[in-house]
Amino acid sequence: MSDTYYEFGTAGERWDRAQFFFEAKEYGTAVRILRGLVAEHPEQTAQRLLLARAYYHSAQLSPAETELRAILDRDPVEYYARLMLGRTLERQGRADEAAPHLRMAAAMAGETPPS
């Protein structure tokens, strides 16, 4: 399949297509579409977050971390990005780095640590 498929259509059509592929668990295809959307509209949190999730689910943890940190640089209280960053770091065997992000996500969700 040529790359033109991933770039075809309006941003809204590509967003819909990316969501379709993500929901179908075709994470690699979703990544190819979302990379272009994020490059065009880097300020769009939803697109960047879905890209990070697609990277995470396709075991591309370093790019997932990069996208999540970019989201948190713009919006430090984005709960789901904070949670995902913690989980991404854990999955990379970086539990010490993950812990503060997971604690902060839990606090944002109103969870209390176990006694």
Side-chain angles (χ1 to χ4, degrees), residues 58-114:
S58 62
Q60 298 179 65
L61 301 178
S62 183
E65 179 183 349
T66 299
E67 296 302 329
L68 292 164
R69 288 188 186 280
I71 292 167
L72 291 169
D73 283 346
R74 290 181 59 88
D75 185 2
V77 295
E78 168 50 60
Y79 158 77
Y80 194 68
R82 183 76 56 192
L83 176 64
M84 276 198 64
L85 178 58
R87 289 184 178 168
T88 299
L89 293 169
E90 273 186 331
R91 196 168 165 194
Q92 293 178 74
R94 296 160 57 192
D96 289 345
E97 287 178 67
H101 296 288
L102 294 173
R103 279 194 304 273
M104 191 177 298
M108 289 176 184
E111 299 172 8
T112 56

Side-chain angles (χ1 to χ4, degrees), residues 16-29:
D16 289 343
R17 192 176 317 123
Q19 289 179 300
F20 172 82
F21 281 110
F22 184 88
E23 290 168 10
K25 298 184 180 177
E26 294 288 337
Y27 303 118
T29 304

